[in-house]
Amino acid sequence: MSDSQKLVELQSVQKAYREPNGDRLPILDIEHFAVEPGDQVVIRGRSGCGKTTLLHAIAGITPVDSGSISIGGVELTRLAEAGRDRFRARNVGYVFQTFNLLPAFTALENVVLGMTFTGRPKDRKRAIELLEAVGLGHRLHHKPSAMSVGEQQRTAVARALVNKPVLLLADEPTANIDPGHQQQVVDMLREVCINEKVAMLMVTHSPEVSDQFDHVVALEEINRVARAA
Amino acid sequence: MNYLTIAWRNMCDRPLASTLTGLSMALGVAAVICVMVIHRIAVEQFEQDPQGYNFIVGGTGGRMQLVLSTVYHLDKPLYPISYDYYRKFTDGEYARYTDVVVPYCLGDTFVAGDFKYRVVGTTPELFDELKYDGDTSYEFSEGRNFKRENFFEGVVGSIVAKQGGLKVGETFNPTHGLAGEGDKHREFKVVGILAPTGTTNDRAIFVNMEGFYLLDGHALSAKPPTSDDTTPSTTPDPGIPSVGYDNAGNEVEPLPESQREVTSLLVRCPSAIDSMTLNTVINKSGSATQAVAPTEVVATLLDNIIGPVQVVLLVLTALIVLVAAIGILVSIYNSMSERAHDIAVMRALGASRMAVQLIVLLEAVLLALLGGVAGWVLGHLMIGIASPFVEARTGVSLDMLAFDASELVVIPALVLLAILAGVLPAFTAYRTDVAKALSGTR
Ligand SMILES: Nc1ncnc2c1ncn2[C@@H]1O[C@H](COP(=O)(O)OP(=O)(O)OP(=O)(O)O)[C@@H](O)[C@H]1O
Ligand SMILES: [Mg+2]
């Protein structure tokens, strides 16, 4: 079973898509990959090498074909879909590249929405505290359309952390932000993750961003499919 | 933030589509409510009007026509019956079965502007002895009942007083015939105004039969053909005053019995058995007269005419509601592709397939219910707005707030319909491919 030291651990994970003509299209073939608790890991790799697919698999959004993925000792690959959904709601935060927020809801409501699917009571105070922590104390009641992309991303970070997850997955969270504000968001992400004692697994294309991290993994190196290509 | 709030916000996020679909639902439900309320009032009206007596006796003709002309002041009166036949019920062979017998003489009309009201020649017993609507005694909001010895007195129904502008102490001239185009008769004096009864009697005028007989053309010149062939009684009718008075106080001779005839009789019997017995006796007597229990005719009328009409109207209005529900389906379903991303975001936040499916279903139910409640209010409002016009035309007053438990059926029916309408879009939400939807823009 998984090493108790590791927060996230992947063993012999394989994922393939079916092409329209019925052929198998292998995307992931990872022998071993792990994230330590509280660590901040950057994944880079060329476009299409399977970074997003990997994050989806770790989040339990996309089921894998074989192998095991465990988070905090819970083997996700043994859970049924509804179990993975509930686990994700409680333990994994996710920030996408863009359009993280539901347009009908204000910043605060979007964060509270993050607490809706956990099956636990909602803590509005924590939502406000987190929005203040990401520097949006003055934007609580703005709808996404009235916020800058950077503000939207910060709201998404607050939402991803609101349930006190053990892991934050971020898929190119700064790709759509202008370079001037990119650094702000990266700093904020790193800081709140340390404060909240959350491990972070971030995908980025930007060398300026990845250079700041000690732990950088090129997906091509661990993914046999991408290596072969 | 629960599922209902999310559904609510999704609904509010598409104000135009939601308003339009909700509105169409509201119109459909309003139509259903109108049909239900109007039908209920019509049935109540039909059922309560002929209460207070056991049966109606009339001459040759249709049963329905007898009831319509006597109870509802509609349709042409039947062939008359002789005064001697009437006396069988008051002091003749049938008298032992009867409790109250009220004669009706029809054939005159009072015209006031655009309105026409039937004038009924009758006796004061109609209001003194009979009760309406089960067991309510007639009351006068003003004045009093007419007196048998004051030949040219009359009382008017509440609607006649209001619409026709007749007040106590004023006089009016009935016109000959039911069309309201005949010659004007001599005048009668209004001595009382009936308190509203909610029956068709609110729309009629009742005058002393003795005065009615003395009007031009009402006296029989010779023994005419009537529906029966009753031998005249040898004693005079003790009910007829030997001498009467006109409104100036002058003595007036009553019309001799031999020159009188009656249109119909309202008969109340002391017991149900007496009523059945007398009913059978009359109908099997071989004369062309007939006894008809109005409740039976009304039941037939309701079952054969009002019932089917109500069913047809309900089906038509239910179709409007159905179309509105399909509108909800189409509207939500069309928006599903724009929502795929939002659904994927919720799934990424840990929402299960069931949760996102439920949220979409709830939106359909919310739309249908809000539209339905609005329609329910609208339906009653429409009735309130139509009420004065309907009352002016028919005398039936529609109470806007009158509410019947049967209307509550609309609520579960709407929820069911909304769930049916929501199933397809909800299933789309259920099947959303999260990874794919997340990779797309919104
Ligand atoms: N549902 C799918 N069906 C078939 N192929 C898919 C599907 N989803 C992704 N792929 C393919 O899998 C490969 C990996 O996709 P993925 O999104 O993980 O790449 P990525 O490394 O995140 O790329 P990028 O840097 O552009 O975001 C791509 O070639 C993509 O076309
Ligand atoms: Mg990607």
Side-chain angles (χ1 to χ4, degrees):
Chain A
M1 285 294 287
S2 61
D3 190 330
S4 58
Q5 284 288 302
K6 312 293 188 196
L7 174 71
V8 181
E9 186 151 37
L10 279 72
Q11 305 266 19
S12 319
V13 167
Q14 290 194 335
K15 172 72 189 175
Y17 281 114
R18 278 268 157 233
E19 287 198 281
N21 62 12
D23 290 354
R24 263 181 101 249
L25 175 68
I27 306 293
L28 296 179
D29 182 358
I30 297 172
E31 190 51 42
H32 183 262
F33 173 71
V35 178
E36 313 268 329
D39 200 0
Q40 301 194 334
V41 180
V42 163
I43 291 185
R44 58 180 180 77
R46 60 181 166 71
S47 182
C49 73
K51 303 179 297 292
T52 297
T53 308
L54 175 64
L55 292 196
H56 282 166
I58 293 172
I61 292 171
T62 302
V64 292
D65 302 333
S66 62
S68 89
I69 299 172
S70 60
I71 299 176
V74 176
E75 213 171 315
L76 278 189
T77 33
R78 284 171 177 260
L79 296 177
E81 188 185 56
R84 295 200 308 271
D85 291 336
R86 177 54 59 91
F87 184 86
R88 175 168 68 255
R90 294 182 172 182
N91 303 294
V92 181
Y94 209 130
V95 178
F96 323 107
Q97 184 177 333
T98 47
F99 302 120
N100 275 283
L101 306 181
L102 299 194
F105 299 87
T106 65
L108 179 58
E109 287 165 343
N110 262 287
V111 177
V112 174
L113 187 75
M115 296 189 274
T116 299
F117 308 102
T118 57
R120 295 184 189 137
K122 286 176 268 275
D123 185 351
R124 217 178 123 87
K125 220 175 108 226
R126 173 159 169 84
I128 295 173
E129 278 166 13
L130 270 171
L131 278 168
E132 281 165 355
V134 298
L136 287 179
H138 60 302
R139 286 280 184 274
L140 296 182
H141 304 295
H142 283 58
K143 292 227 174 137
S145 56
M147 292 192 281
S148 72
V149 180
E151 286 170 337
Q152 293 180 31
Q153 290 304 83
R154 284 190 271 167
T155 308
V157 171
R159 186 179 65 189
L161 295 174
V162 77
N163 296 318
K164 296 190 199 283
V166 290
L167 176 67
L168 176 77
L169 301 173
D171 196 349
E172 305 186 44
T174 59
N176 277 42
I177 303 175
D178 62 281
H181 289 90
Q182 208 166 318
Q183 191 56 42
Q184 273 186 13
V185 172
V186 174
D187 291 343
M188 181 273 297
L189 254 176
R190 303 197 72 170
E191 189 191 317
V192 288
C193 281
I194 289 165
N195 292 344
E196 295 280 324
K197 301 184 180 63
V198 177
M200 177 169 76
L201 185 56
M202 179 165 89
V203 169
T204 181
H205 276 295
S206 156
E208 295 95 79
V209 173
S210 58
D211 285 351
Q212 303 171 31
F213 288 79
D214 300 331
H215 196 163
V216 180
V217 176
L219 188 54
E220 289 95 336
E221 288 166 22
I222 58 165
N223 182 7
R224 264 180 287 201
V225 176
R227 207 163 38 200
Chain B
M1 185 125 328
N2 50 36
Y3 297 172
L4 194 65
T5 331
I6 298 173
W8 167 264
R9 298 298 286 274
N10 284 343
M11 185 183 83
C12 298
D13 200 40
R14 306 163 55 239
L16 184 68
S18 300
T19 310
L20 290 180
T21 46
L23 193 69
S24 64
M25 183 53 85
L27 290 177
V29 171
V32 170
I33 293 291
C34 282
V35 170
M36 288 176 93
V37 171
I38 288 169
H39 174 256
R40 196 180 67 229
I41 289 171
V43 169
E44 277 171 8
Q45 194 72 30
F46 269 107
E47 284 177 344
Q48 89 184 7
D49 282 11
Q51 287 173 358
Y53 41 88
N54 296 87
F55 55 83
I56 302 169
V57 176
T60 326
R63 287 156 53 85
M64 185 76 80
Q65 197 184 340
L66 177 60
V67 173
L68 287 177
S69 60
T70 309
V71 180
Y72 301 104
H73 309 298
L74 298 167
D75 211 345
K76 289 196 173 66
L78 298 190
Y79 213 63
I81 52 184
S82 70
Y83 199 83
D84 298 318
Y85 187 71
Y86 156 57
R87 284 198 52 199
K88 277 189 170 188
F89 293 79
T90 53
D91 58 349
E93 55 178 307
Y94 298 158
R96 61 191 175 107
Y97 300 110
T98 67
D99 191 4
V100 182
V101 179
V102 175
Y104 264 27
C105 300
L106 303 179
D108 276 0
T109 307
F110 170 62
V111 183
D114 288 342
F115 299 106
K116 285 181 204 161
Y117 308 101
R118 295 247 170 134
V119 176
V120 179
T122 184
T123 59
E125 276 85 54
L126 173 62
F127 303 116
D128 288 341
E129 303 291 339
L130 291 187
K131 295 173 192 288
Y132 70 96
D133 192 12
D135 54 5
T136 318
S137 298
Y138 283 96
E139 277 174 21
F140 290 87
S141 59
E142 266 178 73
R144 53 164 174 86
N145 200 353
F146 62 87
K147 293 207 171 93
R148 188 89 194 244
E149 63 273 20
N150 295 339
F151 286 4
F152 293 95
E153 285 185 350
V155 300
V156 301
S158 57
I159 290 172
V160 179
K162 202 156 62 173
Q163 280 175 352
L166 282 179
K167 298 191 184 68
V168 170
E170 287 184 344
T171 57
F172 64 94
N173 305 77
T175 55
H176 195 66
L178 293 175
E181 285 151 6
D183 295 334
K184 277 200 170 170
H185 285 304
R186 59 180 293 184
E187 57 186 29
F188 278 80
K189 188 165 118 195
V190 179
V191 295
I193 292 167
L194 283 172
T197 61
T199 70
T200 39
N201 284 352
D202 291 350
R203 274 179 294 144
I205 296 180
F206 302 87
V207 299
N208 192 341
M209 181 170 75
E210 300 301 333
F212 189 91
Y213 281 135
L214 294 174
L215 298 180
D216 287 346
H218 289 194
L220 303 174
S221 44
K223 177 91 176 123
T226 49
S227 301
D228 58 285
D229 206 5
T230 313
T231 358
S233 171
T234 47
T235 53
D237 181 356
I240 302 175
S242 50
V243 65
Y245 304 91
D246 68 8
N247 290 328
N250 303 318
E251 282 193 7
V252 186
E253 281 274 313
L255 186 74
E257 281 182 55
S258 59
Q259 293 180 41
R260 297 174 170 216
E261 62 185 4
V262 184
T263 311
S264 52
L265 308 174
L266 310 182
V267 179
R268 194 177 78 194
C269 302
S271 73
I273 297 171
D274 288 328
S275 163
M276 271 160 59
T277 315
L278 184 54
N279 201 303
T280 317
V281 169
I282 295 166
N283 287 333
K284 291 201 172 151
S285 64
S287 88
T289 55
Q290 54 180 333
V292 174
T295 44
E296 283 169 22
V297 173
V298 167
T300 322
L301 190 73
L302 291 180
D303 288 350
N304 294 329
I305 298 174
I306 310 254
V309 167
Q310 135 108 336
V311 169
V312 168
L313 286 179
L314 270 186
V315 167
L316 286 179
T317 48
L319 279 178
I320 304 179
V321 173
L322 188 69
V323 169
I326 294 173
I328 290 180
L329 187 161
V330 171
S331 158
I332 298 183
Y333 189 77
N334 277 346
S335 72
M336 286 317 286
S337 59
E338 323 165 5
R339 293 188 204 199
H341 184 87
D342 293 358
I343 288 168
V345 168
M346 286 195 280
R347 291 293 313 279
L349 292 175
S352 62
R353 287 181 193 271
M354 289 301 286
V356 292
Q357 165 169 281
L358 188 65
I359 288 169
V360 173
L361 261 188
L362 278 175
E363 184 178 339
V365 171
L366 265 179
L367 267 176
L369 272 186
L370 286 178
V373 169
W376 186 75
V377 172
L378 185 70
H380 281 274
L381 256 167
M382 276 157 63
I383 287 165
I385 291 168
S387 168
F389 301 99
V390 174
E391 185 163 345
R393 285 266 149 252
T394 66
V396 176
S397 66
L398 306 174
D399 181 2
M400 176 166 87
L401 297 176
F403 164 80
D404 192 75
S406 66
E407 290 173 26
L408 286 175
V409 169
V410 170
I411 307 264
L414 276 186
V415 172
L416 198 74
L417 202 58
I419 289 174
L420 285 179
V423 154
L424 193 63
F427 188 60
T428 310
Y430 182 91
R431 286 189 19 181
T432 302
D433 182 341
V434 180
K436 202 165 168 186
L438 282 177
S439 68
T441 54
R442 186 156 48 228

